[in-house]
């Protein structure tokens, strides 16, 4: 009996010693990692995100995007809007196949619509949810109805839901419109779509 107790105690002590060694290795690893992290961080160039530092809300982000899309050349070409429409087509071929840029009106917070692009034969509703604002009651349906009141038919109306990580709108936001707009609806994210478009398509071509 004493022999079994002794063996058990020796086994427990062995386990404790092994665990102590593991913890010691872990603490030493964390110390080395922290030192290397601080060294690399010190060598990084100083940088800030101006938009975040100004505590920009959804309206501010929409204004910036609106200003970009409103840019045009001396020959009245909306270059950045053209690039945006081209990018949308790459994401979903059926989305913008009938969009022809002629004389667009691009507004922000007109009729409570975050970003609204209207032309002779099409209208694009952009709902901006960059800060995860909840969908209001039948929000997308109400914006679609406002666009109809401007004389646009359903087949001329396009909807973009813009969120940080491509979150889908709440079902109730669509009202009775969802099925009718699936071919003309795009769910985009700031992280994977807007930043990609700005870096790959817009920045390289800025004069």
């Amino acid at each position: 009996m004493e022999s079994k107790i002794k063996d058990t105690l020796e086994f427990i002590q062995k386990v404790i010693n092994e665990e102590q060694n593991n913890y010691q290795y872990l603490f030493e690893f964390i110390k080395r990692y922290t030192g290397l992290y601080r060294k690399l961080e010190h060598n990084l160039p100083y940088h800030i995100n101006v938009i975040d530092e100004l505590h920009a809300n959804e309206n501010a982000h929409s204004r910036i995007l609106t200003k970009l899309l409103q840019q045009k050349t001396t020959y009245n070409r909306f270059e950045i809007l053209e690039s945006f429409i081209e990018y949308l087509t790459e994401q979903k071929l059926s989305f913008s196949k009938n969009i022809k840029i002629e004389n667009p009106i691009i507004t922000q917070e007109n009729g409570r619509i975050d970003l609204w692009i209207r032309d002779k034969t099409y209208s694009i509703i952009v709902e901006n949810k960059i800060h995860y604002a909840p969908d209001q009651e039948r929000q997308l349906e109400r914006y679609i109805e406002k666009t109809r009141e401007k004389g646009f038919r359903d087949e001329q109306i396009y909807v973009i839901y813009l969120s940080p990580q491509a979150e889908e709108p709440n079902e109730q936001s669509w009202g009775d419109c969802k099925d009718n707009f699936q071919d003309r609806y795009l769910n985009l994210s700031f992280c994977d779509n807007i930043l990609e478009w700005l870096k790959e398509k817009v920045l390289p071509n800025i004069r």
Side-chain angles (χ1 to χ4, degrees):
M1 183 70 177
E2 290 182 1
S3 177
K4 289 184 179 180
I5 294 174
K6 182 179 178 181
D7 290 342
T8 301
L9 291 175
E10 288 178 351
F11 175 75
I12 293 172
Q13 186 61 48
K14 183 179 178 181
V15 171
I16 292 173
N17 291 339
E18 289 179 354
E19 288 300 316
Q20 286 177 337
N21 290 335
N22 289 337
Y23 283 126
Q24 185 66 30
Y25 174 79
L26 177 62
F27 292 142
E28 289 176 357
F29 173 79
I30 292 174
K31 184 177 179 180
R32 292 198 304 272
Y33 172 83
T34 303
L36 179 61
Y37 177 86
R38 288 174 178 169
K39 181 180 178 181
L40 293 174
E41 184 181 39
H42 180 73
N43 291 331
L44 288 174
Y46 181 70
H47 63 279
I48 61 172
N49 185 326
V50 176
I51 295 177
D52 283 345
E53 294 303 321
L54 294 175
H55 305 289
N57 58 14
E58 287 176 351
N59 290 343
H61 285 83
S62 296
R63 283 197 303 272
I64 293 169
L65 188 54
T66 298
K67 286 296 182 183
L68 283 172
L69 298 177
Q70 287 175 338
Q71 182 272 338
K72 58 182 178 179
T73 70
T74 53
Y75 301 101
N76 286 325
R77 271 191 61 202
F78 289 80
E79 290 181 309
I80 296 180
L81 176 59
E82 289 175 5
S83 172
F84 187 56
I85 297 299
E86 182 180 330
Y87 180 79
L88 297 179
T89 306
E90 292 174 359
Q91 304 309 301
K92 187 174 185 177
L93 186 61
S94 66
F95 182 80
S96 54
K97 62 182 179 180
N98 294 321
I99 292 179
K100 181 181 179 182
I101 299 171
E102 296 185 33
N103 188 31
I105 299 171
I106 306 168
T107 59
Q108 183 263 328
E109 277 297 306
N110 185 325
R112 302 300 299 276
I113 298 174
D114 291 330
L115 174 56
W116 202 2
I117 304 168
R118 286 164 287 159
D119 212 325
K120 292 181 180 179
T121 59
Y122 66 89
S123 177
I124 303 174
I125 299 166
V126 180
E127 176 57 21
N128 179 4
K129 296 293 186 184
I130 191 170
H131 289 309
Y132 297 102
D135 290 325
Q136 299 171 21
E137 185 178 358
R138 303 176 82 94
Q139 188 172 17
L140 292 178
E141 182 186 52
R142 287 188 284 108
Y143 294 165
I144 289 169
E145 185 56 39
K146 287 180 181 179
T147 308
R148 288 168 175 163
E149 291 171 1
K150 293 292 183 180
F152 292 95
R153 302 186 304 276
D154 281 8
E155 60 268 24
Q156 297 175 316
I157 302 172
Y158 302 81
V159 178
I160 296 174
Y161 194 81
L162 187 54
S163 60
Q165 301 289 341
E167 291 82 3
E168 287 286 350
N170 192 292
E171 285 292 320
Q172 62 81 24
S173 182
W174 281 106
D176 299 324
C177 295
K178 184 174 182 178
D179 291 342
N180 196 31
F181 281 86
Q182 285 309 292
D183 288 340
R184 298 180 307 284
Y185 163 69
L186 258 180
N187 181 2
L188 298 181
S189 79
F190 276 95
C191 179
D192 296 325
N193 298 115
I194 297 303
L195 286 179
E196 177 188 51
W197 166 64
L198 289 172
K199 289 191 295 184
E200 301 296 329
K201 306 293 186 179
V202 177
L203 286 178
N205 298 308
I206 287 180
R207 292 188 298 277

